[in-house]
Amino acid sequence: HLAPYVLHKNKIKIMIVLRRNPYDLISVYKNRKYSDKKIKENAGSEILGIIAHDAISKFQEKVFQINISRKTIQETVEKTVNLISSNKGNEEVDWLELVRKNNDLGKFFVD
């Protein structure tokens, strides 16, 4: 997640940002014993697409997203390998619209 801040565009061929449904992330973070504040910060960052945005801003056409929410590890690996070999298969991810539709902005952004 630090790649946009420490790498130069000419040093990479492709960047893949793995994205996951923020509702799924809540249970992942709870299992990791994250504080409620950290859960909201991390899930909120995913909802807003902070890492994806920063990567795209710096690396433009070299950035691809994969929504891994409902994928097995094997499916994620296959998708990643295919994406690397073909430079095709970007998955546009918009969690903000999902959260807005569910009327859950307060769940993730309000204390």
Side-chain angles (χ1 to χ4, degrees), residues 11-25:
K11 298 289 183 186
I12 67 161
K13 292 181 182 178
I14 188 170
M15 178 175 288
I16 299 171
V17 180
L18 302 179
R19 306 288 305 273
R20 189 161 182 187
N21 187 306
Y23 293 99
D24 296 345
L25 288 174

Side-chain angles (χ1 to χ4, degrees), residues 51-110:
I51 302 303
H53 173 271
D54 290 352
I56 292 166
S57 292
K58 184 164 186 180
F59 304 112
Q60 291 106 22
E61 72 283 350
K62 294 182 177 186
V63 178
F64 296 86
Q65 299 178 70
I66 299 175
N67 176 0
I68 66 166
S69 300
R70 302 267 187 263
K71 290 180 175 66
T72 65
I73 292 171
Q74 182 63 35
E75 290 169 331
T76 301
V77 169
E78 288 172 9
K79 175 75 176 179
T80 302
V81 169
N82 289 336
L83 211 155
I84 291 169
S85 64
S86 69
N87 279 353
K88 294 179 184 171
N90 183 52
E91 298 178 7
E92 293 295 326
V93 179
D94 184 2
W95 300 128
L96 186 57
E97 182 60 19
L98 171 67
V99 172
R100 188 197 62 75
K101 280 183 182 177
N102 289 340
N103 201 28
D104 278 340
L105 289 171
K107 179 177 186 167
F108 294 98
F109 296 106
V110 179

